[in-house]
């Protein structure tokens, strides 16, 4: 083999051109994996807003249920409310196409209020008759009269039934630092007076019902989080390019 042929095979320019596509592909795959993971995490059944003040009164909780199945629709949603720390004065907002069933339970420990002693509270709400298709979600609004003031969080275990019979049990409670695979919607209760509940605003065209304005803040936070992931992926790409270019000889720029 001649010297010219050897140079053409081992040319730094050829090597760099071969490495750059590989580096770009690795960065792209890494970025895709991060974004895909973020998408999966956001597909859980959640409650909004994520926090309220302890003892908050006259507010709204929104249970957001996404459909994670490509070949089936969500046909039934069951939300279980805690009775050891009961939510009082529960009212269910009408949902187009869905029929709610409210189940009440006698409390082991009655709750004393300014209006008297409460001996029963809602323990389960079941929605049937509607459909959440692939790539869709539905919001189920539940108004309350008062939240408990003697606990730091409320866990709403939820069952999601699909049209093919599959049931996803969103019942895992927050653990010791480990991320739950099927976490239950959890509401954090913060220190503060009951009247410091999250602000609410009227929905248009639904007869004066309300939803928590903090829900919009949650959407903004998620948007910023995804934007940060994209910026991070671009930074990885720039770093990979800089490393490859830095390894190439200076004589490479000469004809």
């Amino acid at each position: 083999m001649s010297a010219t042929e050897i140079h053409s095979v081992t040319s730094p320019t050829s090597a760099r051109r071969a490495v750059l596509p590989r580096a770009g592909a690795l960065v792209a795959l890494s970025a895709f994996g991060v974004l895909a993971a973020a998408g999966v995490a956001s597909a859980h059944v959640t409650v909004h807003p994520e926090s309220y003040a302890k003892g908050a009164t006259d507010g709204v909780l929104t249970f957001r249920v996404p459909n994670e199945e490509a070949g089936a629709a969500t046909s039934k949603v069951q939300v279980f409310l805690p009775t050891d720390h009961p939510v009082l004065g529960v009212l269910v907002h009408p949902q187009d196409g869905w029929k709610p069933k409210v189940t009440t339970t006698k409390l082991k420990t009655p709750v004393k209020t300014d209006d008297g002693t409460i001996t029963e509270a809602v323990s389960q709400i079941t929605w049937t008759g509607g459909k959440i298709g692939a790539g869709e979600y539905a919001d189920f609004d539940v108004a309350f009269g008062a939240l408990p003031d003697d606990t730091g969080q409320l866990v709403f275990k939820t069952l999601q039934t699909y049209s093919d019979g599959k049931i996803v049990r969103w019942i895992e409670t927050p653990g010791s630092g480990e991320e739950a695979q099927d976490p239950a919607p959890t509401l954090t209760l913060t220190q503060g007076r009951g009247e410091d509940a999250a602000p609410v605003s009227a929905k248009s065209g639904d007869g004066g019902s309300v939803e928590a304005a903090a829900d919009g803040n949650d959407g903004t936070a998620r948007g910023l989080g995804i934007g940060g992931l994209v910026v991070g992926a671009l930074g990885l790409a720039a770093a990979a390019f800089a490393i490859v270019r830095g390894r190439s000889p200076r004589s490479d720029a000469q004809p």
Side-chain angles (χ1 to χ4, degrees):
M1 183 180 292
S2 66
T4 304
E5 290 174 331
I6 293 175
H7 177 77
S8 64
V9 172
T10 60
S11 170
T13 302
S14 301
R16 186 177 62 180
R17 289 174 180 173
V19 171
L20 282 176
R22 293 197 200 106
L26 289 174
V27 172
L29 288 174
S30 300
F32 176 80
V34 172
L35 293 176
V40 171
S42 65
H44 299 333
V45 174
T46 52
V47 61
H48 304 271
E50 297 178 348
S51 65
Y52 257 113
K54 291 182 178 181
T57 58
D58 299 326
V60 174
L61 297 175
T62 298
F63 295 92
R64 178 159 296 172
V65 182
N67 186 10
E68 296 182 311
E69 295 293 321
T74 297
S75 57
K76 182 179 181 180
V77 177
Q78 297 167 269
V79 175
F80 297 85
L81 284 70
T83 55
D84 52 347
H85 302 286
V87 178
L88 305 180
V90 170
L91 295 173
V92 181
H93 183 270
Q95 183 83 352
D96 291 343
W98 294 89
K99 182 179 180 181
K101 178 183 177 181
V102 178
T103 301
T104 59
T105 298
K106 188 174 182 178
L107 300 176
K108 293 182 179 180
T109 304
V111 179
K112 295 182 178 180
T113 70
D114 294 338
D115 298 323
T117 301
I118 306 297
T119 59
E120 291 186 348
V122 173
S123 58
Q124 179 181 341
I125 305 174
T126 301
W127 287 271
T128 56
K131 181 178 72 172
I132 307 174
E136 299 177 346
Y137 73 91
D139 283 344
F140 298 88
D141 291 344
V142 176
F144 63 83
L147 295 177
D149 59 5
D150 57 351
T151 184
Q153 68 178 15
L154 294 177
V155 177
F156 301 95
K157 295 183 179 182
T158 302
L159 301 184
Q160 181 179 10
T161 303
Y162 286 91
S163 55
D164 60 0
K166 178 181 178 180
I167 299 177
V168 180
R169 304 176 184 276
W170 304 98
I171 61 174
E172 297 181 27
T173 56
S176 56
E178 295 184 1
E179 184 177 356
Q181 182 176 355
D182 297 318
T186 302
L187 179 71
T188 300
L189 298 181
T190 60
Q191 294 293 340
R193 298 174 301 171
E195 58 268 27
D196 291 335
V200 295
S201 59
K203 282 184 178 178
S204 59
D206 63 357
S209 62
V210 295
E211 73 175 354
D215 206 54
N217 295 332
D218 179 70
T220 301
R222 289 184 180 179
L224 291 174
I226 293 175
L229 290 174
V230 174
V231 172
L234 293 176
L236 286 173
F241 179 81
I243 291 172
V244 173
R245 186 166 185 173
R247 290 179 178 175
S248 63
R250 294 177 181 269
S251 60
D252 201 38
Q254 298 176 358

